[in-house]
Amino acid sequence: LSLFDDLRDDLAAVALEALSDGVARLRMKEAPTVEWRNYSVTAGRAYMKDNLVCLSKRLLDSPSKVRETVLHELAHIYVYRKHGPRARPHGREWRQAMQRLGLTPNVYHNYACERKPQQPKFFLECKSCGASFGRIRPLKRNRIYLHVGCGGVLRKKEIEAK
């Protein structure tokens, strides 16, 4: 086995220990299943209806990161079970559950990760000054958008096929 495999086994043990500890602290009847996924930016996700916690193979490289992420996602499942789907994902109930688990209720992680740079798919042009802009997402329909620089109306710019 490589050093990476040994580390992964150690982190899996930490995940199960954190899960067991969290289930006991929250007095949950059933522990969720834990799976490792290839997430590049997301540290973990909770699938409430499937009773599943998924963890990032890429980001979670230390016991403290694994423990914090497991408990964060466990708090989501706990809140869903106790308060149903109307409870806000990082609302009051979730923050209280995080405090019961002994954690500061942080919504986002600050782990080092790389996002893939996205290329603009939609292009806009100002009718007044002719300035062009690239966007990742399309603008909403039936709305008028103005150029902050000159106040002109923005419209879709047709890109010629190469």
Side-chain angles (χ1 to χ4, degrees), residues 95-115:
R95 289 192 303 274
Q96 289 171 347
M98 288 289 283
Q99 289 167 346
R100 281 181 63 187
L101 292 168
L103 294 174
T104 303
N106 293 325
V107 175
Y108 301 106
H109 68 75
N110 59 357
Y111 311 148
C113 59
E114 287 186 35
R115 289 186 177 270

Side-chain angles (χ1 to χ4, degrees), residues 18-103:
L19 188 67
S20 176
D21 179 45
V23 166
R25 284 182 184 217
L26 295 173
R27 296 187 180 124
M28 295 172 71
K29 292 179 183 174
E30 182 185 356
T33 305
V34 175
E35 290 182 5
W36 293 92
R37 301 274 173 96
N38 217 15
Y39 301 144
S40 58
V41 177
T42 303
R45 289 198 60 186
Y47 294 91
M48 279 61 101
K49 292 180 182 174
D50 298 328
N51 197 32
L52 175 66
V53 170
C54 295
L55 303 172
S56 171
K57 292 179 192 178
R58 294 180 180 190
L59 296 181
L60 303 179
D61 55 5
S62 73
S64 61
K65 290 178 184 178
V66 170
R67 180 173 176 71
E68 188 173 324
T69 304
V70 165
L71 294 177
H72 176 113
E73 302 308 331
L74 183 64
H76 284 297
I77 291 176
Y78 170 77
V79 168
Y80 181 81
R81 284 186 193 170
K82 186 165 182 175
H83 302 283
R86 290 192 180 269
R88 296 184 60 198
H90 295 109
R92 182 176 45 86
E93 297 89 353
W94 177 82
R95 289 192 303 274
Q96 289 171 347
M98 288 289 283
Q99 289 167 346
R100 281 181 63 187
L101 292 168
L103 294 174

